Amino acid sequence: MESLVTRLEAVTSRLENIASGGGTAMKAGDSAPFVQAYDAVVNSYLEKFLELSKKLDGDVSTQANLVKDALSAQHDFLVLASHCKEPAQAELPGLLKKLSDNISAIQDLKEKHRTSQFFNHLSTVADSIPALGWVSVSPAPAPYVKEMIDSGLFYSNRLLKDYRNKDDNHVEWVKAWMGLLCDLQVYVRKHHTTGLTWNKQGVDVSSYKGASSQPSPAGGPPPPPGPPPPPAPIAPSSTSSNDGDDDNRAQLFSELNKGEDITKSLKKVSDDMKTHKNPALRLGAPQPFKASAKPTPAAKPGANQKPSHHAPAASAKKPPKLELEGKKWIVEHYVNNNNIIIAETEMKQTVYIFKCENSTITIKGKVNAITMDNCKKCGLVFDESISSLDFVNCQSVKAQVLCKVPTINVDKTDGCMIFLSKDSLDSQIVSAKSSEMNVLVPDPQNEFREFPIPEQFRTYWNGSKLVTEITDVKVG
């Protein structure tokens, strides 16, 4: 019992100190457990990552120093969070400015050195460094970190493929960077499950003595305006309104009680005031509604007739568009253009080609899926599609795969030629409601042999089930 009383007295004394301003929940020199855990994750990989980056030299070393600055900025922000209460949302952009600037510098370095021999290295880091933005994500920051890790997998896997059994420095460099991010995800899931942990008993950000090292929140957006002033008292006005209503009702009933005498106050309408007897009054009066005239019957076909000025205008031509929206490349409304090239692709991206005509589209690299919709007399050349190539509502289209595609779907398409490569001979082609489909297969001499896809079938009942057979196959 005495020990319990002693503990209660200690807690009471501590709360009194905090309330009186004589102390804070955590001293400035203390380091919160989640800050120590963050430092442990970073220190496990950062030194090795910097050392390997220095060996590779060039742009990789420059980018690694920027990564070090970004991790240091995040450390400072976590220290701030361990000592302070959660600030208003309007203050966060200013507090995170240093970290945001470091991430932008890493990504800008990649964009400025696209011709660098280390472009894959720069892209691996630049595409995944936004993972450090987890501090502003809630309620699930760990999945966000995982998504950013996946964004860098395309280039990291390419590095592992290019340098495995050739140069271990590049392979170890990839492992160090990816290991850091993966451990960071585990750390976020454990210590900040629903968002960044702030010190509920801490001080305000503005009064924290370590806040001088943070960017001033004054540079961020202005604080939200205060609440509107309270409404004026309504009791007197409601009373006067009720009194007015009572007077109006009393006057109404008084008029009704007059009986026939109530009509004595009405004015007589003379003939010169009547519109049916004085046509001049109708000139300024509003006109009555008249039904619209019957539509003119359409001219017979073949008759010489000028186009009506009231005919609906033809739909305006939309401008061509080639743009990456999220993870989807949009190619649409191109006409007579044989030089449409998509060069910077990733495995998680898809390509959607819509309403193009007399054009050729070239897709370099590996993408997830390709769809050609409502296109006419168009050609498509691509390296590889992970899932499928789809033709929908197209006319007279051609496609050539240079590497591999597992599935080709042809739906409601008239005229389709598919050129397969030696690596894509096992591709499956699924067609429906389509015609004039041909597949060209390379022979040992790299010459293409043409094979039509069947369009006509014969179906009959064999006594136990329906049997369908091809009736028009002709091998070229």
Side-chain angles (χ1 to χ4, degrees):
M1 187 68 177
E2 293 179 358
S3 62
L4 179 60
V5 172
T6 303
R7 291 171 59 190
L8 289 174
E9 290 177 349
V11 170
T12 303
S13 176
R14 185 180 180 190
L15 291 175
E16 289 176 350
N17 289 335
I18 294 173
S20 62
T24 58
M26 183 177 293
K27 296 180 181 179
D30 294 340
S31 182
F34 68 79
V35 177
Q36 297 176 3
Y38 175 82
D39 292 340
V41 170
V42 172
N43 294 335
S44 299
Y45 295 95
L46 182 59
E47 184 176 353
K48 183 177 180 181
F49 176 74
L50 293 174
E51 180 183 349
L52 291 169
S53 299
K54 190 174 182 180
K55 288 183 180 179
L56 299 180
D57 203 9
D59 300 328
V60 178
S61 180
T62 303
Q63 190 185 57
N65 291 328
L66 295 175
V67 170
K68 181 181 177 182
D69 294 341
L71 294 172
S72 176
Q74 183 155 92
H75 165 85
D76 294 342
F77 187 76
L78 292 177
V79 172
L80 173 73
S82 69
H83 290 85
C84 301
K85 299 176 183 177
E86 183 174 2
Q89 288 295 322
E91 297 181 45
L92 280 179
L95 298 173
L96 289 171
K97 186 176 186 303
K98 183 178 178 181
L99 176 60
S100 177
D101 290 344
N102 288 326
I103 293 175
S104 297
I106 294 171
Q107 295 177 326
D108 290 343
L109 182 67
K110 166 200 166 183
E111 296 300 329
K112 293 178 181 178
H113 295 81
R114 285 188 167 273
T115 58
S116 172
Q117 60 175 328
F118 297 113
F119 178 73
N120 288 342
H121 300 72
L122 301 179
S123 299
T124 298
V125 176
D127 290 358
S128 53
I129 194 64
L132 299 187
W134 67 265
V135 290
S136 61
V137 177
S138 63
Y144 170 78
V145 177
K146 177 63 168 62
E147 184 177 351
M148 293 301 103
I149 294 174
D150 292 342
S151 297
L153 282 180
F154 175 76
Y155 289 102
S156 63
N157 289 339
R158 180 175 290 183
L159 288 173
L160 293 175
K161 178 183 177 182
D162 292 343
Y163 291 101
R164 184 173 282 117
N165 301 325
K166 294 179 182 179
D167 191 336
D168 290 339
N169 287 332
H170 297 268
V171 175
E172 293 301 321
W173 181 88
V174 172
K175 291 181 178 179
W177 175 246
M178 286 301 173
L180 171 60
L181 293 182
C182 291
D183 281 11
L184 177 64
Q185 181 197 1
V186 176
Y187 160 80
V188 172
R189 183 185 295 115
K190 180 178 180 181
H191 295 276
H192 309 275
T193 307
T194 58
L196 177 62
T197 302
W198 293 85
N199 188 347
K200 295 181 179 179
Q201 297 180 350
V203 298
D204 292 334
V205 172
S206 58
S207 60
Y208 174 57
K209 69 178 184 179
S212 58
S213 62
Q214 297 290 334
S216 173
I234 60 174
S237 61
S238 63
T239 304
S240 60
S241 175
N242 291 336
D243 293 342
D245 291 342
D246 293 340
D247 293 342
N248 291 335
R249 282 194 293 269
Q251 185 177 1
L252 174 63
F253 285 119
S254 176
E255 295 288 338
L256 292 176
N257 290 333
K258 292 181 179 180
E260 295 180 356
D261 292 338
I262 195 172
T263 60
K264 292 182 179 180
S265 59
L266 297 178
K267 295 181 180 180
K268 184 177 181 180
V269 180
S270 59
D271 290 343
D272 60 339
M273 299 171 63
K274 300 176 183 178
T275 57
H276 65 284
K277 291 188 177 182
N278 189 359
L281 295 176
R282 291 200 296 266
L283 297 177
Q287 298 297 318
F289 171 77
K290 293 182 179 181
S292 58
K294 294 183 180 181
T296 305
K300 294 182 180 180
N304 295 328
Q305 183 183 12
K306 294 183 179 180
S308 171
H309 293 289
H310 300 286
S315 58
K317 254 187 178 179
K318 294 186 178 181
K321 177 180 179 181
L322 174 58
E323 185 177 333
L324 177 61
E325 296 181 355
K327 296 180 181 178
K328 177 189 287 188
W329 281 100
I330 303 295
V331 184
E332 58 184 22
H333 305 299
Y334 275 96
V335 179
N336 299 325
N337 189 334
N338 294 319
N339 195 29
I340 307 171
I341 300 175
I342 303 176
E344 300 296 331
T345 57
E346 298 180 4
M347 286 191 298
K348 300 188 76 173
Q349 294 175 349
T350 60
V351 180
Y352 181 70
I353 306 167
F354 178 69
K355 278 198 173 181
C356 293
E357 187 174 346
N358 290 324
S359 300
T360 303
I361 301 95
T362 302
I363 304 172
K364 298 182 179 180
K366 183 187 297 186
V367 295
N368 187 273
I370 304 172
T371 301
M372 184 175 281
D373 185 6
N374 257 307
C375 294
K376 185 176 181 181
K377 297 182 180 179
C378 287
L380 171 66
V381 181
F382 66 97
D383 289 341
E384 184 170 355
S385 175
I386 297 175
S387 61
S388 65
L389 166 64
D390 297 274
F391 296 99
V392 183
N393 293 319
C394 294
Q395 295 180 12
S396 303
V397 290
K398 299 179 181 179
Q400 181 173 6
V401 52
L402 302 179
C403 293
K404 192 173 182 64
V405 59
T407 306
I408 301 174
N409 299 309
V410 186
D411 187 21
K412 299 178 184 177
T413 295
D414 297 322
C416 179
M417 294 187 68
I418 303 170
F419 294 79
L420 298 178
S421 66
K422 291 183 178 180
D423 295 332
S424 60
L425 296 179
D426 57 346
S427 300
Q428 296 185 5
I429 302 174
V430 180
S431 60
K433 298 182 180 180
S434 301
S435 63
E436 300 177 30
M437 300 171 289
N438 294 279
V439 179
L440 290 91
V441 180
D443 59 18
Q445 289 76 34
N446 288 327
E447 297 291 337
F448 283 97
R449 297 183 60 196
E450 186 173 351
F451 298 87
I453 296 179
E455 302 173 23
Q456 185 175 353
F457 305 91
R458 179 182 62 188
T459 302
Y460 61 91
W461 177 257
N462 68 353
S464 60
K465 62 179 181 179
L466 288 174
V467 177
T468 301
E469 297 177 347
I470 301 170
T471 61
D472 67 340
V473 173
K474 297 179 181 179
V475 179

